[in-house]
Amino acid sequence: MNHEIEIEFKNMLSKTKYDELLAAFDIREEEAVRQENHYFDTADFQLKSIESGLRIRILPNKIECTLKEKTNDYTHIETTDILTEEEAKQILQGGQLTAPTVIARLQERNIAIEQLALFGTLATARVEIPYEGGLLVLDHSFYLQRDDYEVEYEATDETVGHTVFQQFLANHNIPIAHADKKIARFAAALKEKERNDGY
């Protein structure tokens, strides 16, 4: 479908700060849009090794297959194909990937497509708010019997976006708290669960 440059800034939130931000923007938690993110990689983590992630995202009105490749701390290249419900169902059940633009990009990066497998699902309740020429995003994510909260700011210019986001955090007295990508947080939680389960 397309290739997009995504510039985003992220910060983890406490539940208290998350609730404060919902109140500040006059948003009820039930207004958040639920989405499911299904993450894929090979058994030897070929995508993780090149700081990339592959997901199928199920939204209320569409299903996307996206390859996200890191170019620097705040910028990613996203390659996305739209999937039908049937295509998504077959892929999630272990069938062949049917996302032509994503497949072409994976081949360029020498990823073994036939070895890709689903390794986890993370659900998110998302609120999007236009803010200072960009998009403010509040996420409440659920995975592996835990949940977390984060704020993201998507911008069209890295320098301007960084300034706006830092000012936003200061204005709302939000402590700086590094936010890994959701796929990385999921993978870390999965590793911890396996360790605790004795695997």
Side-chain angles (χ1 to χ4, degrees):
M1 175 192 164
N2 61 10
H3 302 277
E4 286 185 0
I5 303 295
E6 181 188 62
I7 301 170
E8 68 177 7
F9 305 86
K10 299 157 74 80
N11 198 82
M12 298 304 294
L13 298 171
S14 65
K15 184 180 189 318
T16 301
K17 281 296 176 186
Y18 174 81
D19 290 339
E20 284 178 13
L21 290 175
L22 288 181
F25 288 97
D26 195 25
I27 294 166
R28 300 189 311 277
E29 190 157 12
E30 55 267 26
E31 293 178 58
V33 175
R34 185 177 173 87
Q35 58 187 35
E36 287 183 5
N37 299 295
H38 302 275
Y39 296 113
F40 295 78
D41 206 335
T42 61
D44 56 352
F45 296 105
Q46 292 176 25
L47 285 168
K48 182 182 178 184
S49 71
I50 58 170
E51 296 190 275
S52 298
L54 178 64
R55 70 171 182 238
I56 289 178
R57 173 171 284 173
I58 300 178
L59 295 153
N61 59 349
K62 64 180 174 178
I63 303 174
E64 301 172 332
C65 178
T66 298
L67 174 66
K68 194 167 182 174
E69 300 172 82
K70 184 175 181 179
T71 56
N72 67 33
D73 284 346
Y74 305 112
T75 306
H76 296 82
I77 296 173
E78 289 192 346
T79 303
T80 300
D81 287 302
I82 300 297
L83 301 177
T84 65
E85 283 188 35
E86 187 57 36
E87 286 172 331
K89 181 180 177 183
Q90 288 183 3
I91 297 166
L92 292 171
Q93 291 176 346
Q96 190 174 349
L97 187 66
T98 51
T101 316
V102 169
I103 289 171
R105 186 66 179 167
L106 289 168
Q107 288 171 335
E108 287 174 19
R109 303 304 304 273
N110 296 313
I111 301 299
I113 296 166
E114 70 283 354
Q115 294 178 26
L116 289 169
L118 175 67
F119 75 88
T121 297
L122 177 150
T124 299
R126 168 164 287 193
V127 173
E128 297 183 345
I129 307 157
Y131 184 82
E132 298 289 335
L135 187 68
L136 197 65
V137 179
L138 301 177
D139 277 349
H140 178 192
S141 296
F142 314 82
Y143 54 103
L144 298 175
Q145 287 75 57
R146 66 175 68 193
D147 55 2
D148 63 33
Y149 305 85
E150 70 185 307
V151 57
E152 298 180 4
Y153 182 62
E154 298 179 7
T156 54
D157 179 276
E158 187 174 322
T159 304
V160 173
H162 186 268
T163 301
V164 169
F165 190 59
Q166 293 304 311
Q167 190 61 56
F168 170 83
L169 296 178
N171 289 348
H172 292 275
N173 299 309
I174 297 170
I176 302 293
H178 174 73
D180 284 326
K181 290 184 297 185
K182 290 180 179 65
I183 190 171
R185 301 205 304 268
F186 178 90
L190 184 61
K191 197 170 185 178
E192 182 182 325
K193 181 179 184 298
E194 288 174 349
R195 191 166 56 243
N196 292 340
D197 290 346
Y199 291 133

